[in-house]
Amino acid sequence: MNQALQAIRGMNDVLPEQAALWATFEQAARQVLNAYGYQPIRMPLVEPTELFVRSIGEVTDIVEKEMYTFVDGLNGERLTLRPEGTASCVRAVVQHHLLYDGGKRLWYTGPMFRHERPQKGRYRQFHQIGVEALGFEGPELDAEHLMMIHRLWQALGLTGIQLELNSIGDYHDRVAYRTALIHHFEQHRGALGEEELRRLHTNPMRLLDSKNPAMAEVITAAPNLQDFLGEEAREHFSAVCRYLDAVNIPYVINSRLVRGLDYYNRTVFEWTTRDLGAQATICGGGRYDGLVEQLGGKPAPACGFGIGIERVLLLIEQQQRIQAQPAVDVYVLHQGPSALETALTVAEEVRSAGLSALVHSPAGSLKSQMKKADASGAHFAAILGESECANGTVTIKPLRGQALEQTTLPQADAVAFLAGRSITDE
Ligand code: HAM
């Protein structure tokens, strides 16, 4: 026998039994996105490598270690499987001049690829819902994003999620901060590992999110970015906080939060949970006012966020707030020579009435079919045994605890009954 092939480590199949949970999440997310007037955009999965180097930053974990990059054998171009969506979205907005008539509120969803060490909640192919608002300068946009995310957690019934918020100031604020950071870390060179020493002069802010335990104390003692913020960044941040207070969204200010991508300025945030172990961040984002210009567009402010779908689904399962949707409304059982034909006809009528139906296959004893019907999660079994076929009737058996007796009805009435009952008895 040939050896069965396996999926690549860290790249997972989403099996039918998980699909209902994905659909539930996606539906809730779409409702929230619609409620705030966001429009969908779809970008390619593969982009020129240069796009990510220029936006995420050359001296970052993603660009240095995690990108799936390859050379196109036909023309020698260096290409990369997208590790995130913001860069592609901004590229598309610039390429298609989408900002010519004012700001745009956009969202996208799909797989992202990062060559990380796989573990629970951390994968090499994972999925995000990303939201980007381009062309808007005011702090009300930062707040709008936080309100949307908060509303989504509420819609999903999730609890115990904390919003961590910070401002990393404007470009010139960070130039002064950079100098102070380099000075500080130079004085503690002994605690720095090889990677930190390499990044010290190219991107010292990355040292602040170093996972190296020997660095913990030095990081705690590092100068505080808040002390370097200019007046405009300060005002922007306090307005974001005021708007959150006005709608009662709690947050904590974490002055060490810098995010792992270089394009951010001013507001940055992460939503974290204690329920997922090490992969605690389920959403991250912030403002990136320089990126549109950096990618060749006319200068335009922007902000956005990305939600890690797998992590949110793990959290939903953990908190068990959402029951998986049943697979179908009606499971059709059949026994006897002409029963299958009638079963197919009844199932079609059920579908025409707006419900979903599944016809048992292959034939077997009614008892074994009933076991399958029970396990399928359907609301009703529609039974076509020999006597039903002879009499032109269907027996309807409720499967999911409805306050209904089993009943036998003429075929046409049975379909009308199912259409009425299965909706009103939910
Ligand atoms: P990010 O923080 O790199 O930001 O990713 C956003 C979210 O994606 C994370 O909070 C996490 O939930 C999820 N995530 C990241 N890596 C993995 C992984 N290896 N496995 C599973 N989930 C993961 C961005 O990507 C920015 N583009 C967000 C943004 C949009 N900022 C502005 N606009």
Side-chain angles (χ1 to χ4, degrees), residues 84 86 114 116 121-123 126 128 131-132 259 261 263-264 281-286 288 304-306 308 311:
E84 60 108 48
T86 308
R114 297 186 192 175
E116 297 193 76
R122 188 167 70 196
Y123 311 105
F126 62 97
Q128 282 185 355
V131 165
E132 317 292 351
R259 308 272 298 131
L261 305 92
Y263 49 62
Y264 293 107
T281 309
I282 55 173
C283 172
Y288 51 92
F305 62 87
R311 292 188 189 172

Side-chain angles (χ1 to χ4, degrees), residues 54-124:
R54 247 159 84 176
S55 52
I56 297 169
E58 203 154 5
V59 188
T60 56
D61 281 354
I62 297 179
V63 170
E64 282 184 345
K65 312 182 211 168
E66 296 170 1
M67 296 206 305
Y68 283 89
T69 294
F70 57 97
V71 175
D72 182 332
L74 292 180
N75 61 9
E77 213 181 337
R78 275 171 72 77
L79 304 176
T80 294
L81 293 184
R82 65 179 185 194
E84 60 108 48
T86 308
S88 304
C89 185
V90 172
R91 195 245 337 115
V93 163
V94 171
Q95 182 175 338
H96 302 287
H97 311 290
L98 292 193
L99 298 182
Y100 82 99
D101 62 347
K104 288 282 172 296
R105 290 174 160 90
L106 303 172
W107 72 272
Y108 50 83
T109 186
M112 311 289 162
F113 303 85
R114 297 186 192 175
H115 199 279
E116 297 193 76
R117 204 156 40 79
Q119 61 180 79
K120 182 181 163 197
R122 188 167 70 196
Y123 311 105
R124 290 179 173 171

Side-chain angles (χ1 to χ4, degrees), residues 19-30:
L21 195 57
W22 281 73
T24 305
F25 170 79
E26 282 161 0
Q27 197 184 354
R30 269 171 218 269

